[in-house]
Amino acid sequence: MNETMKNYRRGLVAGIPIALGYLSVSFTFGILAVQYGLTVWEATLISMTTVTSAGQFAGVQIMMVPGLWLDMLISQLTINVRYSFMSIALSQQLDKKFSGIWRWLGAFLVTDEIFAVGITEEKITRSFWFGLSTLPWVGWSLGTFLGAFLGNILPASVMSALGLALYGMFVAIVVPVMKKEKAVIVAVIIAAVLSTLFTYVPVINKVSVGISISICAIVSAVVVAILFPVDESEDASGEKLPEGGAA
């Protein structure tokens, strides 16, 4: 029991930076959600039961147009399919006791940041994983509630200004990576150009937001994959591996 609590506390500490980041991002989601007509509790419930930032931001836009069920399905699959691959990678490092229903519960809490921390563990125990996930989940849910609640009481001018935080968030996420990876620059440019075309060009601007998001993501990813293929003889740090694969 002592070892279990020790791992849980270690996970809690590791999750603090993630929770703080989620608090600010989900605050913006809460603001956006009420601007699109959702109630405080509807917005909060979405964050409590999904925990996917890009998926939620895209999802609330599609929800504003009734009947676009197929669009919602395609866009969410496109945006969130990466979590399946993360889960596969994590499954190779799970402790033997991390099985059955615990894997289902643990999969619910897989996000980019939690994955990045969890994958560094030699063996991922249940106590560490759920300790790592606890505060980020609370931060994501609480931030959404605060943003949605304030979105109902703050003046429209203030809400409009806070709405710009969404674009600032994406800039803060993308720009640092663009400085390191030429491929990311190309992907961003392609996605931005396609998004602009879907917004302003006659005929294709009639395409629903869900489909257009999926097309922008898939096309930019495919083009970059063709132009900048990853050398399988290199490891994650970019260093060449010996002939025959990893040692």
Side-chain angles (χ1 to χ4, degrees):
M1 178 62 71
N2 289 336
E3 186 65 25
T4 298
M5 289 305 299
K6 181 180 178 181
N7 283 330
Y8 184 77
R9 287 195 296 267
R10 189 165 60 86
L12 278 178
V13 172
I16 291 175
I18 301 175
L20 294 175
Y22 283 3
L23 188 67
S24 59
V25 175
S26 62
F27 185 89
T28 304
F29 170 73
I31 292 174
L32 183 70
V34 295
Q35 288 180 340
Y36 276 112
L38 296 179
T39 67
V40 174
W41 297 113
E42 286 171 340
T44 304
L45 185 60
I46 288 174
S47 284
M48 292 177 67
T49 56
T50 54
V51 198
T52 165
S53 56
Q56 289 180 215
F57 281 110
V60 293
Q61 297 181 57
I62 301 173
M63 287 168 63
M64 295 306 102
V65 183
L68 298 182
W69 303 111
L70 181 61
D71 295 49
M72 178 70 81
L73 175 63
I74 294 174
S75 65
Q76 294 304 310
L77 283 175
T78 303
I79 294 170
N80 296 319
V81 68
R82 68 189 189 279
Y83 295 129
S84 299
F85 300 108
M86 292 180 191
S87 296
I88 292 173
L90 288 168
S91 67
Q92 309 305 306
Q93 296 176 224
L94 298 182
D95 182 80
K96 290 183 179 179
K97 295 182 179 180
F98 206 149
S99 60
I101 188 63
W102 293 107
R103 290 202 176 199
W104 288 83
L105 295 173
F108 166 71
L109 295 163
V110 174
T111 67
D112 302 272
E113 295 77 14
I114 294 176
F115 166 80
V117 175
I119 200 68
T120 61
E121 291 284 297
E122 184 176 345
K123 278 294 180 182
I124 304 173
T125 63
R126 291 183 307 189
S127 52
F128 174 80
W129 179 259
F130 288 105
L132 174 63
S133 308
T134 297
L135 292 181
W137 181 82
V138 172
W140 186 253
S141 303
L142 178 61
T144 299
F145 171 77
L146 293 175
F149 177 73
L150 292 176
N152 279 327
I153 63 176
L154 291 177
S157 58
V158 175
M159 293 306 302
S160 178
L162 288 174
L164 294 176
L166 172 62
Y167 305 102
M169 177 194 73
F170 286 120
V171 170
I173 292 173
V174 173
V175 169
V177 185
M178 290 174 64
K179 291 180 179 179
K180 299 178 182 179
E181 298 288 343
K182 181 179 179 181
V184 176
I185 298 177
V186 175
V188 170
I189 292 175
I190 293 174
V193 170
L194 289 175
S195 180
T196 301
L197 293 176
F198 277 114
T199 302
Y200 296 107
V201 174
V203 181
I204 65 173
N205 64 0
K206 303 299 182 182
V207 176
S208 64
V209 63
I211 299 298
S212 63
I213 289 174
S214 298
I215 292 175
C216 292
I218 294 173
V219 171
S220 59
V222 169
V223 171
V224 169
I226 294 173
L227 296 179
F228 303 95
V230 176
D231 189 345
E232 294 184 359
S233 66
E234 296 183 2
D235 65 8
S237 63
E239 296 179 354
K240 288 285 185 179
L241 295 173
E243 286 293 327

